[in-house]
Amino acid sequence: MNELITNAAVLRDSKKPLSFEELTIEPPKAGEVRIALRSCGVCHTDYSLAKGILDHQPVPSVLGHEGSGIITDIGAGVSNVVVGDHVVMAPIAPCGQCNRCLNNEGAYCKREEERGWGVLPDGRTPLKDKQGEKIAVALNSAFFSDYAVVPSTAVAKIPKDVSFEIASLLGCAVVSGYGAVVNTAEVQVGSSILVVGLGGVGLSSVMAAKIRGVYPIIGVDPSNERRDLGKQIGCDEVLTVDEFNSIDLKNFNGGFDTIIEASGSKPAIEKCISLLRRHGICVYVGAAESTYELKIPHLELVATGKRLSGCLTGEVRPAVDLANLAKLYSAGRLPLDIFISNRRPLNELELAFDDLEKNIGLRTLITWPEK
């Protein structure tokens, strides 16, 4: 296996446009795979890092973390995939050996916690530019590039009847919403749920709630288009922001068993705890800016048993969750085609960020032609 040249979008300064460059990418080492990208979703997190809204990404780096593609090379010891497999990737690569992984908490793997931003688990980056400068791998992924090297534990094989475009949605947007409902909240049949924010993550939460037999499913979003999508895929009722702000809980049995906060709106984040029933759980998936601090009424938590939980990437277990989501899509249980609003080549990534900033559709995908 040799080094390859890969075309990539490089973030060198959040105050300037991305730089499109030819980089050198190493072959995979033990426990790693190299992938030819075929599709990558443009997530709000990528946008926030590119524009400096989130400021903890080393530069220079390559963004992109909602990817799918084809295995081109495998390192020593890799047994879960072979060259030629179609795969979806997650930005989480659990080691499978620490106490958290062994307790089914791989999203919070000790190795992942310690490895830091911008590098693979062994502390290196496989990317360098023409001057030999190392280029960080943003969000452990760096998928805005023709090729990527990732740990094999971050990938899951997908059926050939699942397109790369659909697969690329699974690794972040879909699993974040699905996992918030299934893995974090562990919702029960007949329990009630409120989903605040009906973007890709929120709508995925609605789909998961419907699969789990939740009733009622109530959505909230300022967009007429997204409210209509919410009704189309499973919401029993969808509220405007004004209706949410003046909500009368008497109409909802005194509160909700589960709330998924997927908007990242500070007023919504603050309001959610007051809408929970006793011992209800609010799962925070949407992120406000890095400096925001949530203030909560401590005694209300003590007296009611209400629970607040963060949720990292749906607490994804790549080998289990991503494969299951692909199967659910194949079975017609996840109507994910509604998410794809636009497709662009890699060199139009800045235009894709514009789509996101203007709230155009749900997901713009960066796609690569078949080789």
Side-chain angles (χ1 to χ4, degrees):
M1 292 182 289
N2 300 314
E3 291 186 340
L4 296 175
I5 299 300
T6 183
N7 297 295
V10 181
L11 173 66
R12 292 191 175 272
D13 187 333
S14 61
K15 298 180 179 62
K16 297 179 181 178
L18 298 169
S19 174
F20 295 91
E21 305 177 25
E22 286 188 346
L23 305 178
T24 301
I25 186 167
E26 297 175 353
K29 293 189 175 182
E32 298 173 348
V33 296
R34 187 158 61 187
I35 299 157
L37 271 294
R38 287 294 176 265
S39 179
C40 187
V42 181
C43 176
H44 201 280
T45 302
D46 294 311
Y47 169 84
S48 296
L49 290 169
K51 304 304 178 184
I53 299 168
L54 298 175
D55 59 2
H56 45 279
Q57 174 59 44
V59 292
S61 65
V62 175
L63 303 172
H65 64 282
E66 287 188 353
S68 64
I70 301 173
I71 300 288
T72 61
D73 305 279
I74 60 173
V78 172
S79 60
N80 61 320
V81 289
V82 298
V83 171
D85 278 348
H86 292 195
V87 294
V88 56
M89 295 85 81
I92 301 292
C95 71
Q97 299 174 351
C98 69
N99 63 331
R100 293 176 186 167
C101 285
L102 295 174
N103 284 322
N104 208 27
E105 298 173 348
Y108 307 108
C109 169
K110 192 170 187 295
R111 182 182 73 177
E112 290 292 275
E113 179 182 16
E114 293 176 349
R115 72 156 145 163
W117 284 75
V119 294
L120 295 175
D122 65 1
R124 84 185 200 287
T125 170
L127 298 170
K128 61 179 181 287
D129 65 15
K130 290 183 177 179
Q131 288 70 46
E133 181 181 12
K134 294 178 180 179
I135 308 295
V137 289
L139 296 167
N140 312 323
S141 307
F143 295 153
F144 290 146
S145 173
D146 293 347
Y147 295 92
V149 170
V150 297
S152 65
T153 56
V155 308
K157 185 177 177 180
I158 56 172
K160 294 287 178 75
D161 65 343
V162 176
S163 72
F164 290 117
E165 293 183 353
I166 291 296
S168 65
L169 300 171
L170 302 179
C172 179
V174 175
V175 81
S176 291
Y178 176 91
V181 171
V182 175
N183 295 337
T184 307
E186 297 180 326
V187 299
Q188 302 300 311
V189 173
S191 62
S192 60
I193 192 169
L194 175 70
V195 179
V196 183
L198 297 179
V201 173
L203 288 171
S204 298
S205 296
V206 171
M207 293 178 191
K210 184 176 181 181
I211 289 172
R212 298 281 281 199
V214 173
Y215 180 83
I217 302 171
I218 309 299
V220 181
D221 201 275
S223 163
N224 289 332
E225 178 185 3
R226 293 186 180 187
R227 289 199 300 274
D228 288 343
L229 284 174
K231 293 174 185 175
Q232 177 183 328
I233 66 168
C235 284
D236 297 290
E237 185 176 350
V238 183
L239 309 178
T240 65
V241 172
D242 287 342
E243 290 169 335
F244 170 71
N245 289 334
S246 60
I247 193 169
D248 185 351
L249 292 181
K250 293 178 182 177
N251 297 326
F252 299 100
N253 202 26
F256 296 92
D257 297 303
T258 300
I259 298 175
I260 306 297
E261 205 305 298
S263 72
S265 164
K266 288 186 284 187
I269 290 170
E270 299 283 354
K271 186 177 180 64
C272 281
I273 187 173
S274 67
L275 305 180
L276 284 173
R277 298 178 64 186
R278 293 172 67 87
H279 204 242
I281 182 171
C282 179
V283 180
Y284 289 107
V285 187
E289 67 265 21
S290 303
T291 56
Y292 171 65
E293 295 182 359
L294 172 62
K295 296 182 179 180
I296 57 176
H298 170 256
L299 287 179
E300 183 176 350
L301 295 181
V302 173
T304 65
K306 294 179 180 180
R307 295 161 292 156
L308 308 181
S309 177
C311 177
L312 177 62
T313 320
E315 303 192 334
V316 59
R317 304 159 297 171
V320 176
D321 294 317
L322 299 184
N324 284 343
L325 287 168
K327 291 176 184 176
L328 285 168
Y329 172 78
S330 292
R333 302 290 299 280
L334 291 174
L336 299 178
D337 298 87
I338 64 170
F339 283 10
I340 301 172
S341 50
N342 204 355
R343 300 166 178 84
R344 294 187 181 276
L346 181 62
N347 62 7
E348 292 184 6
L349 180 54
E350 287 286 355
L351 295 177
F353 284 149
D354 290 342
D355 294 341
L356 194 153
E357 190 174 67
K358 295 172 183 176
N359 210 25
I360 296 175
L362 288 172
R363 265 298 184 276
T364 294
L365 301 180
I366 301 301
T367 59
W368 284 258
E370 293 288 340
K371 292 184 179 181

